[in-house]
Amino acid sequence: MYRIGSFNVLNMNFRSEDEEKKDWDTFARIIKENFDVVGLQEVLTESAVKQIVLKLNRGVINWDYCWHETHREGYAFIWNMSKLVLPPNVQDNPKIASGYHYKDLGGLQLVRPPLIIRLQPVNPGEHYELRLINTHIRFGKNSLDDYRNEKIRPDDEEKDPTTIQLRRNEHEFLCKRIYRSVESWQKTDNESRPAYTFLLGDYNLNIRQGQNPSPYLSEVIEIKTGVNINAKIVTRQSHLTTIYVPTENEKENNPRFAKNYDHFSYDLEYESSMVVTTNRINTVDKYFGSAIPSTFRSHKKTVSDHVPVVMEFNVRKR
Amino acid sequence: MFNKNIPFVTNKKSNTAVCALNMITVSVSQIVEYRDSIIMDQEYDAILNNINLQNIIPDETLLKTVKQILDVITFFRIQDKEKYFIEQEYQHNMKNAIWKAIPNIGYIIGGSQSGVPKGAQGGKATYAILAVNVAVQCGIAYMNYRNAKAEGKLQKEKALWELEESAIEQLNSLRRELFDTAWHLAHAYNFDDSLRLTENQIKQYNKVLTDEDPIRRYERLDAIKENFGAYPPFWYQFGHTAKEISDTYKDDKSISEKYTAEALNHLKKFQEMYIPLLREDPIYCAAMLEMIPFYLKENKKAEVKQLIAEAEKLSGNYLDVKQQIVLASIAAEEYTSAKNLLQFLVNENYNTAFNAQLLSKVFIRSNDRTAYKLLEDRVTLNTEYSVLFPFPEAGENEDEEFIKEQSSNLWRQFNIFYKKYIQFNNKKISNLNQESKMSSYSVDQYFEKYLMIMNESFTELINSGITDLIDFNIKEKIDDELNQVFLCNLYKGFEEEDHFYKTALWNDKDEKNPGGVIKTIFDCVYRKLMEKDASLGEFDMVVTTLFYKQCWPLPMETKKSEMEESISLFSQDKIGPEAEYGKKITQDSQKILAIIKNHLGEDKENILYNPKKINQFLGKYGIKYGQCDKRIPVAIITTKDKTAFLFFDNMLYYVSYGFNRFCNCYNWSNLDLCKISSEDKKLIIKQDPIKDIGNPRSKKSPIITADDIDITKLYDLLEELISLEKSGT
């Protein structure tokens, strides 16, 4: 069984701003206790992720990482080397997705092309490969700086049908083009390990379920994998994962979980032959005591405005 | 030697290389093909983990791939507990088959003096030889499981043992690699590449092996034999199939003799070309064992002795093989080796009761009182009663004593079991009693809830391991006479002596009809057992033989006259035209319904269609299918609010026989009645069942039982069909 995580770590860098100073120990604990491999979004500098890995490897060196920059942000993977390793003889791994034709996106490019990693189990009995696509789907049509400087309020973007359509397009493109091509990549070397591919990350879109707010994504996207063969890419994990902390002016509202943005997507077929479950890890509860206004605030300040999500994946059914 | 057209190399090293390679590739192909975790496990134990590759083919690429295959299999191997059940079931089946063929276990040992079974040819066959024949026909566990699998007898287990998709995917990829990397061995070892089995050849071979018709299978094997010059197990299968034909046609001398000769030829060929690649080899042992009956028949003791020695040499840890060798040794009158093997099996706790009994008989025969005493101490350690043949004092007959002893054992065992069962439920039942008094349940309501508790707890009981308390192996074979004596005692226990049962089964109505409740309970238990058959081999003997099969003390007198009445009602003049053409429930048919219900016992579950009971019903009262030319309701579907007939000649018949003319294909193992297309429904009602009745059933048309289908949907379909037929479309 492998625990694959995804975590938007909110502008993680190594600057010591008094207001938002990251708590590296907590990050390390979260990763150590919950994941075998985790994909991080919004990692602004390599030194930040290095800092976490340093903490993780205190004592025994067990964890490895990679970091790649895309459009002023960065993706990272951190994985437990005693369970998963980079397959030998594979060039360019991990790598940023490139070389795709974007005509489906109306001429626009993916705002942050995903980071793809290939890993294989250390256990020789598990003769397969994992391919993880780490994504952070665009938020709006405007630049990141505009939000940072609060020129544009996030709520306005949510109401704008064009930006929502852009997010959906990206999701669809990730499934139809990138997932499809990663899945069909050449097998390693002269081995023929079956590969299991997963898309994970911050989608900026919600699954239509329960009280989840809009905008919604399409939970099932059909892709063509061969002549007359279609696969269904399904998106899972419908718990709320973002933390909303009201501004000074909205004191009547309490901090709370607000959006269901963090997901995993994969071929629906996997569910019929393996055990795949997804969940949110309530790190507010787990590492800050309980989910009360003050802990929401400190989680956002010292960790992130997202909580991580996890997918448990087991090729053994019984 | 071999046919000229079958290529074979004489160079020993390359010969070994190509045989080993073929063995591995076939092994992995069969795992992928059968998609069954038991078979994967067998292949792992028997071949892949057993082959001494490093010494045989020191080829690094091949070794690496095989190591990966072993790793993947290890990861997906099944639990020991699951294996235990399969093993138990096999032991149980073999034992039962021997019991069926032989009236008393004592007769196996004792040579020809002990009696000659009826119909034995030339008076030479003893019961021991009969036992060997039966055992050999059962096969060893390795072959037995895949034969059953091939013949589709394991429907229920299918889901349970189905290999995970991810395992197949991984193994399949490794298999391809094996094919890809292995060809260069042909060059390295300089063997004729045509000896190397290709993917297609193996696929075809696997497919042929699953052919249910032995004659066709034989012909198909004959057609591909040229490809198998370097794969000895093929020749075993070839011989085995020939033997199967000769067994099937044992009444037709010319066929039987022809195939017996063929079988022996092929098995000999197997022996000739066999290369000992494996440390232990169940297939080799099976081949040796299958040859034994031929020689026994001709009284060639030296050859038998030789074969026994050969089989024993490679039997390793295969206790099932050793069990068969024991029987063969007894038949060949090799008592010393039989004794040693029996001792080994008893110590390994394999088929303990059976083997201990045989062993005790051997000791009695050689008058070895000390050994007998030691054995007795060992096997009776956990039980208070002896399972062994009693050591006879002067003038006693040990067989008679044995039967007496075993009958009282059974009685005690049942008591233990039943008390445990009731104790297990005591709290729930007393709760139910309270509840029923407070809400003044009707008897029916009480009954329903009571049965629910009993049913649920039976599963729990089994899971809790309570069955370990009772050694079910003790209760082996009981003949009919014994059953009756035993059951009379048992019945008395309920009726008079033991108030324990009555207090446990609180029910006023039951006072007047003692045993009725218990009968119903055991019907439920029986059904549960049927469901769980695979894993409950040890229960089967007890509950099916003792508590279900016609042995419950039913008031037979009244039953018989009722049955006569019902049979006469089935005759032409008693069934009204309404019932015949309109399929309405008439007075007469209601009467029939009542009688059948009475006979079958009213079940509170939603279905009463029980193929076993119906067969029993039809068979017991001499109704043959051919005579069912009128509308006979052979099943009653009782749902919560409705009761309806299921007519033999429409629903059952159509479902079982008629579907092979359908326009669409259906998945028989998991038939969804909702998915039967409307055109096929029309086909169903257009068929003429009468015309086909009595004709032999084609092997291909599936027989569907209530276990296979969703019964509410069946009911809907029946309704629909009736209205379709009525409307005349």
Side-chain angles (χ1 to χ4, degrees):
Chain A
M1 195 260 284
Y2 292 99
R3 297 166 304 166
I4 299 165
S6 168
F7 197 0
N8 179 327
V9 289
L10 179 65
N11 298 333
M12 187 159 86
N13 61 12
F14 210 47
R15 271 177 266 158
S16 58
E17 290 167 20
D18 284 345
E19 271 301 291
E20 288 183 6
K21 196 175 177 202
K22 296 288 187 191
D23 180 349
W24 308 111
D25 285 309
T26 308
F27 270 117
R29 267 185 72 199
I30 291 173
I31 291 168
K32 199 172 205 156
E33 289 169 19
N34 298 291
F35 308 112
D36 299 317
V37 53
V38 59
L40 306 177
Q41 302 91 40
E42 293 198 35
V43 188
L44 304 188
T45 64
E46 183 170 2
S47 54
V49 62
K50 242 183 190 164
Q51 186 67 19
I52 297 176
V53 173
L54 222 59
K55 301 258 178 199
L56 281 168
N57 281 337
R58 201 169 281 163
V60 201
I61 295 172
N62 246 346
W63 297 81
D64 201 354
Y65 79 97
C66 65
W67 176 83
H68 280 255
E69 188 175 14
T70 56
H71 190 77
R72 298 193 191 192
E73 261 188 46
Y75 292 115
F77 277 110
I78 299 179
W79 65 94
N80 187 334
M81 291 186 289
S82 67
K83 295 199 163 180
L84 295 161
V85 289
L86 296 170
N89 313 320
V90 177
Q91 301 299 311
D92 257 355
N93 179 34
K95 69 168 180 185
I96 294 285
S98 60
Y100 293 93
H101 294 290
Y102 290 102
K103 70 173 194 277
D104 291 9
L105 283 174
L108 287 171
Q109 297 208 339
L110 284 179
V111 69
R112 291 173 283 256
L115 175 66
I116 304 155
I117 193 168
R118 300 167 70 167
L119 292 165
Q120 71 183 40
V122 172
N123 180 354
E126 292 172 88
H127 185 74
Y128 58 84
E129 187 186 298
L130 287 174
R131 295 177 181 171
L132 307 177
I133 308 167
N134 186 356
T135 185
H136 186 186
I137 290 178
R138 73 159 69 224
F139 188 77
K141 57 184 177 200
N142 300 293
S143 79
L144 201 61
D145 288 341
D146 289 338
Y147 304 112
R148 295 237 167 87
N149 305 331
E150 291 186 9
K151 274 185 191 165
I152 292 164
R153 284 164 44 83
D155 281 357
D156 298 337
E157 283 283 11
E158 300 274 76
K159 282 170 197 147
D160 178 357
T162 356
T163 62
I164 290 163
Q165 198 49 51
L166 287 174
R167 292 182 203 179
R168 289 199 185 123
N169 289 351
E170 280 203 0
H171 178 220
E172 203 161 297
F173 186 84
L174 283 161
C175 293
K176 281 192 173 165
R177 294 278 171 274
I178 298 186
Y179 184 97
R180 154 110 175 70
S181 91
V182 171
E183 201 181 28
S184 60
W185 275 354
Q186 275 292 311
K187 315 255 186 223
T188 41
D189 203 19
N190 58 4
E191 286 190 10
S192 47
R193 290 168 183 264
Y196 302 114
T197 309
F198 298 94
L199 175 67
L200 51 94
D202 177 356
Y203 290 34
N204 279 319
L205 288 164
N206 303 275
I207 291 179
R208 188 189 292 271
Q209 194 172 311
Q211 302 290 312
N212 288 354
S214 62
Y216 300 120
L217 49 78
S218 346
E219 245 180 290
V220 181
I221 291 174
E222 218 164 89
I223 63 171
K224 208 173 168 65
T225 52
V227 185
N228 293 330
I229 308 168
N230 289 330
K232 290 188 169 73
I233 306 302
V234 66
T235 300
R236 297 280 190 238
Q237 203 301 106
S238 51
H239 295 287
L240 299 175
T241 50
T242 71
I243 293 166
Y244 165 77
V245 175
T247 57
E248 297 286 317
N249 313 331
E250 321 169 281
K251 271 186 183 154
E252 69 282 6
N253 287 330
N254 271 334
R256 60 173 192 274
F257 286 118
K259 300 274 162 68
N260 163 236
Y261 278 169
D262 298 275
H263 307 287
F264 297 91
S265 306
Y266 48 84
D267 192 331
L268 186 59
E269 193 56 37
Y270 294 173
E271 287 182 4
S272 63
S273 57
M274 291 166 256
V275 181
V276 192
T277 54
T278 59
N279 215 335
R280 155 185 91 177
I281 295 169
N282 188 340
T283 42
V284 183
D285 247 354
K286 211 169 162 184
Y287 298 92
F288 290 81
S290 56
I292 52 170
S294 64
T295 55
F296 273 116
R297 275 196 189 90
S298 42
H299 190 283
K300 188 177 176 183
K301 263 187 194 169
T302 61
V303 178
S304 171
D305 63 344
H306 285 246
V307 294
V309 290
V310 67
M311 176 180 69
E312 293 189 348
F313 165 76
N314 194 348
V315 293
R316 290 212 67 165
K317 241 186 159 177
R318 282 194 290 272
Chain B
M1 276 304 280
F2 307 109
N3 283 348
K4 272 184 185 157
N5 52 355
I6 302 171
F8 201 77
V9 273
T10 39
N11 176 336
K12 198 178 172 224
K13 207 171 171 192
S14 55
N15 192 350
T16 313
V18 69
C19 282
L21 179 65
N22 282 342
M23 204 168 223
I24 297 163
T25 39
V26 173
S27 198
V28 179
S29 290
Q30 290 195 338
I31 295 170
V32 174
E33 211 84 344
Y34 279 100
R35 299 178 155 250
D36 184 291
S37 49
I38 304 282
I39 284 174
M40 181 177 78
D41 238 57
Q42 285 182 339
E43 289 298 320
Y44 180 89
D45 282 335
I47 294 161
L48 294 166
N49 198 32
N50 197 4
I51 199 162
N52 203 340
L53 258 185
Q54 216 138 7
N55 294 342
I56 293 162
I57 321 175
D59 180 87
E60 221 167 279
T61 336
L62 185 69
L63 274 179
K64 188 181 151 234
T65 314
V66 175
K67 202 183 156 300
Q68 275 173 337
I69 291 168
L70 291 179
D71 282 335
V72 171
I73 293 178
T74 315
F75 186 75
F76 285 98
R77 282 188 88 180
I78 56 171
Q79 311 273 320
D80 282 346
K81 199 178 150 199
E82 295 172 10
K83 247 189 263 180
Y84 172 79
F85 283 133
I86 290 286
E87 182 60 26
Q88 287 290 306
E89 160 129 354
Y90 169 74
Q91 287 180 28
H92 169 84
N93 284 346
M94 176 150 116
K95 209 164 55 193
N96 271 6
I98 293 173
W99 287 141
K100 248 194 213 159
I102 289 150
N104 181 341
I105 182 171
Y107 294 175
I108 294 178
I109 294 176
S112 46
Q113 311 95 303
S114 276
V116 176
K118 276 178 208 162
Q121 284 166 358
K124 274 181 184 168
T126 62
Y127 279 113
I129 294 179
L130 199 61
V132 175
N133 278 325
V134 171
V136 166
Q137 266 169 34
C138 284
I140 55 170
Y142 178 89
M143 300 312 304
N144 187 293
Y145 184 78
R146 53 193 74 203
N147 288 344
K149 179 104 188 162
E151 285 162 24
K153 284 180 192 157
L154 300 168
Q155 286 298 335
K156 239 176 246 172
E157 290 83 353
K158 200 181 154 203
L160 191 58
W161 309 121
E162 186 151 23
L163 200 54
E164 286 138 55
E165 190 61 45
S166 40
I168 294 167
E169 212 173 312
Q170 293 181 40
L171 286 168
N172 209 3
S173 77
L174 285 166
R175 173 175 71 158
R176 255 176 264 128
E177 216 167 293
L178 206 54
F179 279 113
D180 286 348
T181 55
W183 69 268
H184 79 97
L185 277 179
H187 302 281
Y189 288 87
N190 197 26
F191 55 71
D192 185 350
D193 194 52
S194 68
L195 287 168
R196 189 173 58 85
L197 291 172
T198 65
E199 201 166 349
N200 277 338
Q201 284 165 350
I202 294 173
K203 257 193 187 149
Q204 195 184 7
Y205 171 64
N206 288 339
K207 219 171 139 192
V208 171
L209 289 187
T210 59
D211 195 331
E212 273 182 52
D213 181 350
I215 294 179
R216 197 173 48 209
R217 194 193 319 141
Y218 187 83
E219 284 164 3
R220 289 169 80 184
L221 285 170
D222 195 45
I224 55 171
K225 64 173 184 252
E226 272 75 18
N227 303 329
F228 290 83
Y231 185 62
F234 171 88
W235 298 92
Y236 163 72
Q237 293 287 0
F238 205 13
H240 174 82
T241 307
K243 188 173 179 302
E244 210 180 318
I245 297 170
S246 84
D247 285 341
T248 318
Y249 289 91
K250 60 173 179 283
D251 296 332
D252 187 327
K253 213 174 164 194
S254 64
I255 298 181
S256 165
E257 270 172 8
K258 177 178 178 246
Y259 282 97
T260 303
E262 293 278 305
L264 207 51
N265 263 346
H266 297 322
L267 289 172
K268 274 182 185 163
K269 190 172 281 182
F270 167 81
Q271 200 180 10
E272 254 172 64
M273 71 195 290
Y274 183 77
I275 299 166
L277 294 170
L278 306 173
R279 284 175 281 255
E280 357 182 300
D281 189 348
I283 297 172
Y284 182 77
C285 294
M288 297 305 107
L289 288 165
E290 288 200 14
M291 281 197 262
I292 286 173
F294 296 127
Y295 291 117
L296 274 178
K297 211 171 156 191
E298 290 164 23
N299 211 14
K300 290 184 179 163
K301 293 238 164 80
E303 278 87 346
V304 174
K305 210 172 154 186
Q306 178 62 30
L307 289 172
I308 290 173
E310 288 281 310
E312 204 176 342
K313 208 166 64 193
L314 287 184
S315 64
N317 280 322
Y318 288 93
L319 299 180
D320 49 340
V321 173
K322 289 199 191 296
Q323 178 78 76
Q324 295 214 8
I325 296 173
V326 164
L327 292 169
S329 305
I330 292 172
E333 294 177 4
E334 293 287 326
Y335 290 108
T336 324
S337 65
K339 192 168 77 183
N340 294 340
L341 277 170
L342 280 169
Q343 239 151 359
F344 176 80
L345 289 172
V346 170
N347 289 338
E348 291 298 313
N349 220 351
Y350 187 84
N351 238 339
T352 320
F354 177 56
N355 286 317
Q357 280 164 356
L358 282 179
L359 189 54
S360 69
K361 191 84 186 175
V362 173
F363 289 148
I364 292 166
R365 200 176 172 280
S366 56
N367 203 18
D368 191 344
R369 201 175 276 269
T370 328
Y372 179 91
K373 188 83 192 78
L374 286 173
L375 174 70
E376 193 177 29
D377 282 355
R378 206 154 5 122
V379 293
T380 44
L381 207 60
N382 298 320
T383 47
E384 38 185 304
Y385 16 80
S386 177
V387 298
L388 306 180
F389 278 88
F391 210 95
E393 302 302 328
E396 266 183 16
N397 180 339
E398 81 251 21
D399 289 348
E400 261 173 42
E401 281 296 308
F402 175 73
I403 292 191
K404 232 188 267 170
E405 178 71 13
Q406 295 311 303
S407 107
S408 64
N409 276 352
L410 274 167
W411 170 229
R412 273 178 297 199
Q413 299 258 340
F414 171 74
N415 268 286
I416 297 171
F417 168 71
Y418 197 74
K419 278 181 183 168
K420 291 279 172 212
Y421 185 40
I422 296 293
Q423 268 166 20
F424 195 78
N425 288 305
N426 257 351
K427 195 158 176 283
K428 284 180 196 161
I429 292 167
S430 69
N431 287 347
L432 176 67
N433 289 346
Q434 291 290 327
E435 192 188 317
S436 69
K437 273 169 197 160
M438 269 161 32
S439 27
S440 54
Y441 281 165
S442 72
V443 174
D444 278 353
Q445 281 170 322
Y446 177 82
F447 222 61
E448 205 167 312
K449 287 193 190 299
Y450 184 88
L451 288 181
M452 218 166 67
I453 292 176
M454 288 312 223
N455 247 326
E456 272 173 12
S457 67
F458 194 73
T459 319
E460 258 179 78
L461 186 78
I462 286 152
N463 294 340
S464 73
I466 203 165
T467 52
D468 294 345
L469 295 169
I470 315 153
D471 176 13
F472 282 98
N473 281 325
I474 288 178
K475 297 154 296 313
E476 299 294 358
K477 187 185 176 190
I478 316 260
D479 53 31
D480 287 342
E481 202 183 346
L482 194 60
N483 269 344
Q484 277 169 19
V485 177
F486 166 71
L487 286 161
C488 283
N489 284 337
L490 195 63
Y491 189 57
K492 271 189 210 145
F494 290 115
E495 210 170 32
E496 303 156 11
E497 290 158 20
D498 201 339
H499 288 282
F500 176 77
Y501 300 105
K502 274 188 191 163
T503 45
L505 296 168
W506 176 89
N507 191 328
D508 290 336
K509 200 184 170 188
D510 199 39
E511 297 280 331
K512 289 166 210 142
N513 177 24
V517 177
I518 295 163
K519 181 193 175 297
T520 324
I521 292 163
F522 277 99
D523 279 352
C524 293
V525 168
Y526 176 68
R527 208 174 44 234
K528 270 263 152 3
L529 281 171
M530 294 302 284
E531 277 168 24
K532 293 189 159 243
D533 195 32
S535 53
L536 287 174
E538 74 265 39
F539 263 93
D540 208 29
M541 250 336 204
V542 192
V543 186
T544 56
T545 315
L546 299 178
F547 310 122
Y548 187 73
K549 282 184 193 161
Q550 86 269 4
C551 18
W552 203 264
L554 297 170
M556 286 310 285
E557 293 299 308
T558 48
K559 267 271 137 31
K560 203 163 191 179
S561 61
E562 265 185 14
M563 284 329 297
E564 275 163 5
E565 196 191 341
S566 65
I567 289 164
S568 67
L569 278 169
F570 290 144
S571 71
Q572 211 172 346
D573 37 54
K574 291 270 172 85
I575 288 191
E578 289 169 290
E580 211 172 336
Y581 301 113
K583 294 151 199 84
K584 280 177 194 158
I585 296 175
T586 63
Q587 259 192 351
D588 275 346
S589 53
Q590 252 168 4
K591 221 169 175 182
I592 298 170
L593 179 72
I595 290 164
I596 294 174
K597 257 187 183 177
N598 202 358
H599 170 75
L600 298 176
E602 185 156 8
D603 207 324
K604 292 290 170 188
E605 299 265 305
N606 63 356
I607 177 67
L608 228 164
Y609 170 43
N610 179 330
K612 250 198 150 77
K613 284 183 176 182
I614 288 165
N615 273 336
Q616 198 189 339
F617 170 76
L618 291 173
K620 200 166 176 181
Y621 296 95
I623 307 173
K624 283 184 185 145
Y625 286 159
Q627 292 176 322
C628 296
D629 53 354
K630 291 297 154 191
R631 302 207 159 257
I632 297 174
V634 283
I636 306 107
I637 301 177
T638 315
T639 57
K640 280 222 158 47
D641 40 15
K642 282 179 202 164
T643 299
F645 290 115
L646 197 57
F647 287 105
F648 175 80
D649 60 356
N650 51 39
M651 200 56 220
L652 284 182
Y653 185 82
Y654 296 143
V655 169
S656 297
Y657 301 77
F659 280 5
N660 51 357
R661 287 177 219 159
F662 277 5
C663 307
N664 295 308
C665 293
Y666 300 97
N667 179 5
W668 294 110
S669 59
N670 187 15
L671 181 70
D672 188 350
L673 291 169
C674 291
K675 290 198 177 132
I676 293 175
S677 69
S678 52
E679 47 189 341
D680 285 334
K681 279 175 190 158
K682 280 179 196 164
L683 244 176
I684 293 178
I685 57 164
K686 270 187 198 153
Q687 282 194 58
D688 181 10
I690 311 279
K691 203 178 80 193
D692 288 322
I693 275 172
N695 286 342
R697 174 186 300 157
S698 137
K699 262 191 178 175
K700 278 204 165 169
S701 50
I703 306 302
I704 296 165
T705 67
D707 292 329
D708 300 322
I709 49 179
D710 182 339
I711 206 62
T712 29
K713 283 180 190 166
L714 177 68
Y715 183 79
D716 292 343
L717 180 66
L718 179 65
E719 290 266 270
E720 207 182 318
L721 288 173
I722 290 173
S723 66
L724 247 175
E725 204 167 352
K726 263 185 192 168
S727 70
T729 36

